[in-house]
Amino acid sequence: MSNTRLGGDSKIWNRGIMKFTIKNKEGLHARPAGQVVAESKKYNSAIHFIKEGKKYNAKSIMSVMVMEAKLGDIIEIECEGEDSEAALKGMLTILESL
Amino acid sequence: MFGFLKKNNQEIKIYAPLSGEVVAISEVRDEVFSKKMLGEGVAIIPSSGKLYAPADGTLVSVFKTKHAYTILTDDGLELLIHCGLDTVELAGEGFTVYKNSGDRIRTGELIAEMDLERILAHRKETITPIVITNSDQITNLQFETKTIASGELLLTVFR
């Protein structure tokens, strides 16, 4: 977790990144993609997955499915916004539960 | 004011990518589709394996396992065509793809072909859900449960 203070703005934006290894057989295909997006939409933070240098919007089913994260793939979860800490925790929990 | 409202009430037409029987998505025997976890849509039980573009747009991705296709239509709808149920397990067997990820597609162009008999031989259902994955941007959709030929009007989507 890093806190960056934007010049002049009193708001403190949080940004968190964590690595995660896909553990379920199906990967982030249909059902898991739906579950992951339902979770990400609970947060105000911008949430992205990063796989092999490419960034995918975790709030878009299409984007998550296009990522085609399979068993054993390592992805990064990036959350940016005021509730980024809760978002990161929530995203890890849902990914672990798949 | 009314002109503004009218503009927002846009109708988008989606044409049948497959020939077969049109059924409500709630009847698909996989709750990820029937409970609309990925969005609103409809399903076709195909009578032929030829899969055509349902609208003008971009074929965003062909999954490595060839059983699912995502399309961004020129009208801004995100479509997922998921050929059969649990067909991810076939790892591409029974599917021939004629287009690549990123290709421009025109309504009625052949995208892929599934070998229905081969898929059924693996005890997989061939029913193909067609899902609007950005359903939060639409207000309603209309379709008829009937026998349809590919290229005929399948869905009218209201935005």
Side-chain angles (χ1 to χ4, degrees):
Chain A
M1 273 295 166
S2 67
N3 292 340
T4 313
R5 197 178 175 116
L6 298 174
D9 199 328
S10 61
K11 244 179 203 168
I12 292 179
W13 289 95
N14 293 307
R15 180 165 174 268
I17 292 195
M18 282 206 70
K19 273 196 176 134
F20 183 82
T21 307
I22 305 291
K23 295 184 178 82
N24 64 314
K25 192 175 138 233
E26 201 188 341
L28 293 190
H29 196 57
R31 180 192 312 267
Q35 288 170 284
V36 162
V37 172
E39 179 67 21
S40 69
K41 283 189 170 172
K42 292 180 187 167
Y43 307 99
N44 291 324
S45 284
I47 306 176
H48 289 92
F49 294 126
I50 302 159
K51 189 186 146 219
E52 289 156 11
K54 275 194 192 160
K55 215 165 175 176
Y56 302 88
N57 183 359
K59 295 186 181 187
S60 156
I61 285 168
M62 190 159 173
S63 187
V64 171
M65 289 194 65
V66 165
M67 179 170 69
E68 286 196 75
K70 300 179 304 296
L71 175 71
D73 282 350
I74 296 168
I75 59 169
E76 280 177 305
I77 313 153
E78 180 194 65
C79 303
E80 263 178 298
E82 286 163 328
D83 60 355
S84 66
E85 205 168 329
L88 203 52
K89 222 177 258 177
M91 294 310 288
L92 279 174
T93 305
I94 192 82
L95 286 165
E96 288 282 358
S97 75
L98 296 175
Chain B
M1 184 63 196
F2 284 118
F4 172 74
L5 286 175
K6 216 174 178 182
K7 213 175 175 182
N8 273 345
N9 204 7
Q10 190 193 356
E11 269 184 44
I12 301 167
K13 310 247 187 250
I14 301 294
Y15 299 89
L18 294 158
S19 296
E21 286 298 314
V22 180
V23 297
I25 200 150
S26 54
E27 285 179 30
V28 177
R29 276 192 290 254
D30 182 341
E31 64 173 23
V32 70
F33 298 110
S34 63
K35 290 191 174 164
K36 302 179 183 175
M37 288 169 63
L38 301 178
E40 290 285 346
V42 69
I44 295 177
I45 302 167
S47 54
S48 155
K50 285 197 163 77
L51 178 77
Y52 299 96
D56 291 351
T58 305
L59 183 62
V60 176
S61 72
V62 172
F63 287 76
K64 286 190 190 87
T65 42
K66 301 176 188 171
H67 74 295
Y69 303 85
T70 54
I71 295 164
L72 177 63
T73 75
D74 289 345
D75 293 313
L77 290 185
E78 296 177 358
L79 300 179
L80 167 70
I81 301 179
H82 195 283
C83 298
L85 302 182
D86 296 323
T87 38
V88 64
E89 293 165 18
L90 300 182
E93 192 192 334
F95 294 91
T96 311
V97 188
Y98 302 109
K99 293 276 176 190
N100 297 307
S101 297
D103 280 357
R104 280 283 310 162
I105 46 169
R106 299 293 301 267
T107 311
E109 260 189 289
L110 186 64
I111 297 176
E113 204 168 339
M114 45 179 159
D115 184 337
L116 299 178
E117 279 179 26
R118 208 145 143 201
I119 294 165
L120 290 167
H122 281 280
R123 299 182 170 274
K124 303 291 181 201
E125 287 190 55
T126 56
I127 189 167
T128 297
I130 297 136
V131 182
I132 301 163
T133 56
N134 58 346
S135 285
D136 49 347
Q137 291 179 26
I138 69 168
T139 55
N140 203 356
L141 82 173
Q142 271 177 4
F143 62 91
E144 269 180 74
T145 51
K146 60 170 185 183
T147 304
I148 203 164
S150 59
E152 288 180 358
L153 179 64
L154 173 67
L155 275 176
T156 307
V157 181
F158 299 89
R159 181 164 60 187

